[in-house]
Amino acid sequence: MNIILSTLNAKYIHTSLSIRYLKAYAEPDFDVKLAEYTIKDPIMNIVGDLYSKKPDVVGFSCYIWNIEETIEVIQTLKKINPAITIILGGPEVTYDVSHWLDRIPEADFIVIGEGESTFKELLAELNGERKQFGKIGGIAYRENDKKIIHPQISKLDLKELPSPYRFPEDQQHLSKRVTYIETSRGCPFNCQFCLSSIEVGVRYFDREKIKNDIRYLMENGAKTIKFVDRTFNISRSYAMEMFQFLIDEHLPGTVFQFEITADIMRPEVIQFLNDNAPAGLFRFEIGVQSTNDPTNELVKRKQNFEKLTRTVTMVKEGQKIDQHLDLIAGLPEEDYSTFRKTFNDVFELRPEELQLGFLKMLRGTGLRLRASDHQYIYSDYSPYEILGNNVLSFDDIVRIKQVEDVLEKYWNDHRMNQTVEFLVTRVFDSAFDFFQEFGTYWDQQGWSRIGHQLEDLFRRLHQFLQDKKIAELDIAVGFMKYDYFNTQKYKPRKPWWEQSFEKAERTAIYETILQNGAILGEGYQSLQLNEKDLYKHTMLEEIPFDLNEYLKNGSIVRERGIMLSYFDPSGIGSSIFSYSEEKTLQANK
């Protein structure tokens, strides 16, 4: 048989771990080829490529992000060659199996749940003469117009699974894509909105095998390795062992990403990482979801936000590990007001990235099974996003989506850190109120429907602040200028604002600097810029506060300041220096 395993990834940089496990388990009895695409690829291109491989069997790994596109591929492929056997697997088709047999009649088999052993058994029967599908656990199919569904019988011993990471054809792509690695399956928690809550208990792979696989991946160029364990740190001893191993044996430029449960992480573990981990080696994803206790109780989510805050704060103070915190809008009894509080509680921690997502009513989860308890309405098609419930209207959801839009552009991309910090602490009532008011304004202007360059982002925020007539607009603009220069690798040709100085005044300031570079500090003096470099590679701007005082103490002292930005001609970025005219005059006297 000519066997193809395929999936449609969300992006090109992603790789499918599931089809590699299936391939590794099926070998050497079956020669399985892999064919990966993305959901952005034209359907006919995917079908054409699969058809050209002349397959007898094609298996598809199905998720909420690819199921609709996958169905189109299957339907078209079957029209062209009805003789191809189509096998589906993955979390999206594991639940409501009867529904999928009806929805996708072109699918010959559905593999339910953990698929390695089931898929291999199915291939053996397809390759044999008697084809006794009834003896296989964990599959669904049709027989004489009747739906046959066999539940999975037992779980695999993960320590015996062959490695899915060592296929020669993958080596050339390791440096360009995210590599996903799995050291355990299952989750100890029972969150009712999550598929992981359905599988009871946690099972581990062989530690030494995993370490050898990581060594292999790094030696062959893997740069971003993401652990897909649902709670990497559920076993403190295991997590510490792996952290130590990765610190000891990592190669330069490698980044490891983990999903951790922050409120169970002990301070001594964080201190160990702060003391020993190289900066940038690790990245944490932390699911907060909600800080509303009644909501967490309803979804059976145990969370101590005080301990979570301690963990996030300790990690942030260590300045070694970036943190990505997740929120979910639309959980039971979380109305607009309490979600505003949740957002502000979490933003107060100033995570490097704050992901605002919306509840997906995933097939098989307890929340979907009891959707009527909270009057949920949601899309019939993946990703089954909610449209409202008994306490959160569709209008509320639209408003929160406006928050999500500008949050991504103005916080998660870190284009305006100082500006946003000033606005959320000194101008608006809270961080949520800033993002909400700006997000609503953004939507009303029609900007969500058009593209933008970096300069556009600054212009649009400036327009919003002007129209709102905020207090201390000049201070906000000063921070925007500072942030703009900070984001530039090369000297910008034309800033988004009208420059502060005419030629004569600019020349006079340069003369002052040339005569007394000490006013800009030791950092500037170490550059040893001559007159030509000063004019060619720097820019001057006026700001209405003492920038040095702010950066040092966080206090805003109103007085005319001069900001000089030096742009290294090699493109490594900018260096910003400033001085207060008032302090300089007093010092000269």
Side-chain angles (χ1 to χ4, degrees):
M1 291 188 299
N2 185 9
I3 306 160
I4 306 292
L5 276 171
S6 182
T7 195
L8 280 63
N9 296 316
K11 297 178 180 178
Y12 169 78
I13 61 168
H14 298 168
T15 53
S16 172
L17 183 55
S18 61
I19 62 175
R20 285 168 172 78
Y21 267 116
L22 296 174
K23 173 180 169 67
Y25 197 87
E27 292 182 341
D29 298 350
F30 299 97
D31 179 21
V32 177
K33 299 178 181 65
L34 303 181
E36 288 181 275
Y37 309 95
T38 77
I39 55 176
K40 299 294 185 182
D41 293 334
I43 298 300
M44 286 306 297
N45 289 9
I46 299 172
V47 172
D49 189 62
L50 287 171
Y51 179 77
S52 70
K53 300 178 188 299
K54 306 301 180 188
D56 299 301
V57 176
V58 182
F60 291 93
S61 190
C62 304
Y63 299 84
I64 59 169
W65 65 77
N66 72 10
I67 185 64
E68 298 303 327
E69 293 84 356
T70 301
I71 290 173
E72 287 189 62
V73 171
I74 293 167
Q75 291 172 338
T76 309
L77 198 58
K78 270 287 195 176
K79 284 182 179 180
I80 297 167
N81 185 357
I84 295 175
T85 298
I86 301 292
I87 304 173
L88 306 184
E92 179 57 17
V93 295
T94 282
Y95 308 98
D96 285 358
V97 177
S98 179
H99 162 81
W100 291 115
L101 288 172
D102 291 336
R103 170 101 192 268
I104 317 174
E106 296 83 4
D108 297 289
F109 298 93
I110 294 177
V111 172
I112 303 169
E114 198 168 50
E116 289 89 348
S117 177
T118 302
F119 181 67
K120 186 173 183 177
E121 289 181 55
L122 180 53
L123 291 180
E125 292 302 321
L126 289 169
N127 200 40
E129 294 182 2
R130 299 184 64 185
K131 295 183 172 48
Q132 296 178 305
F133 303 122
K135 69 178 186 180
I136 304 174
I139 67 167
Y141 57 98
R142 298 173 208 80
E143 189 173 83
N144 300 322
D145 295 328
K146 182 180 179 182
K147 288 182 280 191
I148 309 295
I149 301 174
H150 294 160
Q152 199 170 62
I153 299 170
S154 59
K155 297 292 185 182
L156 293 168
D157 180 355
L158 301 183
K159 291 180 170 59
E160 300 301 318
L161 284 184
S163 172
Y165 308 107
R166 296 174 180 256
F167 301 122
E169 60 267 34
D170 282 339
Q171 287 185 7
Q172 62 179 319
H173 304 295
L174 288 175
S175 64
K176 307 179 190 74
R177 294 182 173 180
V178 178
T179 299
Y180 297 93
I181 198 161
E182 188 179 31
T183 71
S184 66
R185 288 182 184 174
C187 182
F189 302 111
N190 196 28
C191 306
Q192 294 296 287
F193 52 82
C194 180
L195 284 176
S196 298
S197 66
I198 299 171
E199 182 176 347
V200 178
V202 179
R203 296 172 293 145
Y204 285 90
F205 289 78
D206 182 89
R207 297 186 187 187
E208 294 309 313
K209 285 184 179 179
I210 290 293
K211 290 177 183 177
N212 284 331
D213 281 333
I214 292 172
R215 291 187 185 104
Y216 169 86
L217 291 168
M218 290 192 295
E219 288 166 2
N220 285 277
K223 296 300 182 185
T224 303
I225 298 176
K226 181 174 180 180
F227 289 75
V228 297
D229 306 61
R230 301 312 299 168
T231 305
F232 181 80
N233 62 315
I234 189 63
S235 166
R236 182 173 46 154
S237 62
Y238 173 73
M240 284 292 288
E241 180 182 336
M242 290 301 295
F243 286 144
Q244 184 70 71
F245 162 72
L246 297 173
I247 289 170
D248 290 343
E249 301 199 27
H250 75 277
L251 294 181
T254 310
V255 177
F256 298 96
Q257 192 164 319
F258 312 90
E259 293 186 29
I260 69 160
T261 300
D263 59 344
I264 65 171
M265 201 167 208
R266 298 289 293 272
E268 55 265 32
V269 175
I270 306 167
Q271 194 59 54
F272 166 79
L273 295 174
N274 286 346
D275 292 341
N276 297 282
L281 180 63
F282 298 144
R283 177 179 168 87
F284 286 168
E285 290 188 27
I286 300 170
V288 182
Q289 321 311 10
S290 174
T291 64
N292 188 35
D293 289 337
T295 292
N296 285 326
E297 289 174 13
L298 284 168
V299 296
K300 300 182 180 180
R301 180 175 178 80
K302 296 179 180 179
Q303 179 170 267
N304 185 320
F305 188 66
E306 183 179 345
K307 290 183 177 179
L308 183 150
T309 298
R310 179 191 67 192
T311 294
V312 172
T313 302
M314 280 190 70
V315 170
K316 191 170 184 66
E317 288 173 349
Q319 297 184 332
K320 296 288 189 70
I321 301 168
D322 280 355
Q323 298 177 98
H324 168 126
L325 272 55
D326 290 331
L327 299 179
I328 298 179
L331 291 170
E333 305 308 317
E334 179 96 283
D335 61 15
Y336 182 84
S337 175
T338 56
F339 183 77
R340 174 183 180 273
K341 180 181 182 300
T342 284
F343 183 99
N344 285 329
D345 288 343
V346 177
F347 193 85
E348 191 67 27
L349 303 177
R350 299 299 190 269
E352 283 73 26
E353 188 171 349
L354 178 57
Q355 186 71 43
L356 198 173
F358 293 81
L359 180 64
K360 315 295 192 290
M361 302 295 281
L362 303 179
R363 295 180 184 275
T365 59
L367 207 52
R368 177 162 175 148
L369 294 173
R370 293 182 292 278
S372 60
D373 292 355
H374 304 282
Q375 300 172 30
Y376 273 109
I377 54 174
Y378 54 91
S379 172
D380 294 331
Y381 299 95
S382 67
Y384 316 113
E385 193 165 289
I386 69 157
L387 306 172
N389 62 21
N390 60 322
V391 298
L392 197 72
S393 68
F394 184 67
D395 284 335
D396 293 332
I397 291 172
V398 170
R399 292 175 68 198
I400 297 172
K401 281 187 176 292
Q402 293 167 346
V403 173
E404 177 196 26
D405 192 14
V406 292
L407 178 71
E408 283 295 315
K409 294 178 175 67
Y410 287 86
W411 179 255
N412 290 341
D413 285 345
H414 295 287
R415 291 169 166 131
M416 302 187 199
N417 286 359
Q418 300 298 340
T419 304
V420 171
E421 185 67 32
F422 170 73
L423 293 173
V424 302
T425 55
R426 301 216 2 165
V427 177
F428 290 83
D429 290 341
S430 74
F432 184 86
D433 294 307
F434 162 65
F435 288 111
Q436 181 66 86
E437 290 187 44
F438 186 28
T440 301
Y441 182 88
W442 183 283
D443 200 34
Q444 290 170 345
Q445 298 298 316
W447 294 335
S448 57
R449 297 186 293 275
I450 58 177
H452 54 265
Q453 302 294 327
L454 179 64
E455 286 76 8
D456 296 325
L457 294 176
F458 282 89
R459 289 191 187 96
R460 289 167 186 172
L461 177 59
H462 188 222
Q463 180 179 321
F464 164 67
L465 298 176
Q466 281 184 312
D467 286 357
K468 188 169 175 59
K469 297 180 173 59
I470 67 163
E472 298 187 300
L473 176 61
D474 59 334
I475 300 286
V477 172
F479 279 119
M480 291 173 69
K481 291 176 180 180
Y482 173 79
D483 283 332
Y484 178 77
F485 283 149
N486 244 346
T487 60
Q488 302 294 322
K489 289 186 176 181
Y490 297 94
K491 183 178 178 180
R493 294 181 179 179
K494 183 174 174 53
W496 53 270
W497 67 88
E498 292 296 325
Q499 294 188 46
S500 301
F501 306 116
E502 297 295 335
K503 183 177 179 181
E505 191 175 6
R506 188 162 59 248
T507 300
I509 295 171
Y510 276 141
E511 287 298 324
T512 300
I513 293 170
L514 285 167
Q515 292 169 15
N516 184 16
I519 61 175
L520 290 173
E522 293 180 3
Y524 171 78
Q525 288 180 293
S526 68
L527 294 174
Q528 296 184 326
L529 301 182
N530 57 35
E531 184 175 358
K532 180 180 178 182
D533 291 333
L534 194 63
Y535 277 87
K536 186 174 182 181
H537 300 303
T538 70
M539 294 185 71
L540 289 171
E541 271 304 319
E542 177 185 343
I543 52 175
F545 59 93
D546 187 334
L547 180 60
N548 290 328
E549 181 69 23
Y550 175 79
L551 295 176
K552 183 179 179 180
N553 301 314
S555 56
I556 297 175
V557 177
R558 270 193 172 275
E559 53 189 47
R560 187 173 187 255
I562 304 297
M563 179 171 62
L564 179 140
S565 300
Y566 168 70
F567 301 91
D568 191 292
S570 65
I572 63 173
S574 62
S575 301
I576 299 177
F577 311 95
S578 69
Y579 68 91
S580 161
E581 284 198 330
E582 184 175 327
K583 288 186 175 66
T584 302
L585 286 171
Q586 289 174 351
N588 290 338
K589 289 178 182 178

